[in-house]
Amino acid sequence: GAVVSQHPSRVICKSGTSVKIECRSLDFQATTMFWYRQFPKKSLMLMATSNEGSKATYEQGVEKDKFLINHASLTLSTLTVTSAHPEDSSFYICSASQGQTDTDTQYFGPGTRLTVL
Amino acid sequence: GENVEQHPSTLSVQEGDSAVIKCTYSDSASNYFPWYKQELGKRPQLIIDIRSNVGEKKDQRIAVTLNKTAKHFSLHITETQPEDSAVYFCAARFTGGGNKLTFGTGTQLKVEL
C-alpha cells in the first residue's frame, strides 16, 4: 500500500516551454501533497504544499507564477514549470500523505528528471 | 523555521560493522522524526520513524533513538550489508508546520566488502 507515482519520469524540453508533471496516489486518498526539488548530491528542498481543493502554499523564495500547482482531486496533483530555463533543470519529487495531522507519513513518488536545453 | 543538521556527510564502514548517523533539530516543538533511504536516482523510502513520546524504536537491524532534551536523534544500522549503501536523510516535523518535513543534508553511506 501507499504507492505514489509520477509522470513523466524524464523530460527534456526547450527553453521557454512549459512542462507539466503529475503526481498520483494510487491506493490511497492524499489530502496533502508536497513538491520537492533536489539537486545532485543535495537534500530535498520543499517547494510547496498542496491541499486538495485549495491553493498551494509556497515556500519562501519559490515563485508561484513559475511553478504552478494544482491539486484538483484526492489522488492527483500537478506541477507545471512555466517558461522553463536551464536553471530549472533538476530532479522534482512529490510526496503524498493521507491526512493533515502532524504525524502522517509522507510517501514519495519516483521523481521526474527535468532537463531544459 | 525548523533547522535540521545531519552528520557525517559521508560514512564508510566495513561489511558487518555498525553505522551511526546523527541529526539535531532546532525547534523543541518538533514531534515526528522519520528517516529515509535514497538510492541513486530513486525515490526516498521511509525506513523507520519515531514520534516524540518515544525514546527508542527498533526494526530488525535498524534503530532510532531520540533525545528530546538535547534535541537530537540518531539512526543506528547494525551488521551492515552492501545493499545498505545509499544516501540517508533524517527529517523533522515541527508542531504548527502542518505536515511539512524539514530534511537534513544527507549522509552517503558506503558499506565496503
Side-chain angles (χ1 to χ4, degrees):
Chain A
V3 178
V4 178
S5 69
Q6 258 181 265
H7 179 79
S9 57
R10 292 177 181 270
V11 57
I12 301 172
C13 69
K14 293 182 178 180
S15 187
T17 61
S18 295
V19 174
K20 179 185 283 189
I21 303 169
E22 293 185 348
C23 178
R24 293 182 186 272
S25 55
L26 299 185
D27 53 0
F28 67 100
Q29 292 188 326
T31 303
T32 309
M33 289 184 171
F34 302 87
W35 288 96
Y36 295 85
R37 183 172 180 177
Q38 187 176 34
F39 292 102
K41 297 187 178 182
K42 296 294 184 181
S43 189
L44 295 127
M45 288 177 45
L46 180 65
M47 298 174 66
T49 302
S50 170
N51 291 303
E52 186 267 338
S54 62
K55 289 184 178 180
T57 302
Y58 290 82
E59 294 300 300
Q60 192 172 10
V62 178
E63 298 176 59
K64 62 180 181 181
D65 294 331
K66 178 160 185 68
F67 299 100
L68 300 178
I69 292 172
N70 184 281
H71 193 160
S73 77
L74 284 171
T75 59
L76 173 65
S77 177
T78 61
L79 168 68
T80 301
V81 183
T82 62
S83 187
H85 291 283
E87 57 265 31
D88 298 324
S89 298
S90 191
F91 193 51
Y92 292 87
I93 311 179
C94 70
S95 71
S97 66
Q98 292 178 285
Q100 296 180 343
T101 68
D102 283 352
T103 56
D104 284 324
T105 301
Q106 285 189 28
Y107 299 96
F108 283 85
T112 297
R113 174 81 55 196
L114 171 63
T115 303
V116 185
L117 301 176
Chain B
E2 176 71 280
N3 183 48
V4 178
E5 294 188 0
Q6 184 171 347
H7 298 281
S9 57
T10 60
L11 179 59
S12 185
V13 299
Q14 293 293 314
E15 184 180 9
D17 287 350
S18 296
V20 180
I21 303 171
K22 298 181 179 181
C23 288
T24 59
Y25 58 97
S26 59
D27 192 322
S28 58
S30 295
N31 60 4
Y32 174 62
F33 309 90
W35 284 88
Y36 287 87
K37 175 184 179 181
Q38 186 179 30
E39 296 177 10
L40 188 63
K42 300 289 181 64
R43 78 183 80 199
Q45 292 197 313
L46 180 71
I47 55 172
I48 197 167
D49 57 12
I50 192 167
R51 285 159 172 77
S52 58
N53 59 346
V54 177
E56 184 175 359
K57 184 177 179 180
K58 191 173 182 180
D59 182 4
Q60 299 183 333
R61 296 187 297 110
I62 295 173
V64 57
T65 58
L66 171 65
N67 183 326
K68 286 197 299 180
T69 303
K71 292 188 287 186
H72 67 68
F73 55 113
S74 301
L75 177 71
H76 303 254
I77 306 174
T78 59
E79 301 173 33
T80 54
Q81 302 167 2
E83 50 266 37
D84 293 330
S85 297
V87 178
Y88 290 81
F89 291 100
C90 64
R93 177 182 294 137
F94 62 98
T95 306
N99 205 16
K100 294 195 304 184
L101 289 174
T102 300
F103 282 84
T105 48
T107 296
Q108 174 74 62
L109 173 64
K110 183 176 181 182
V111 180
E112 299 177 332
L113 296 172

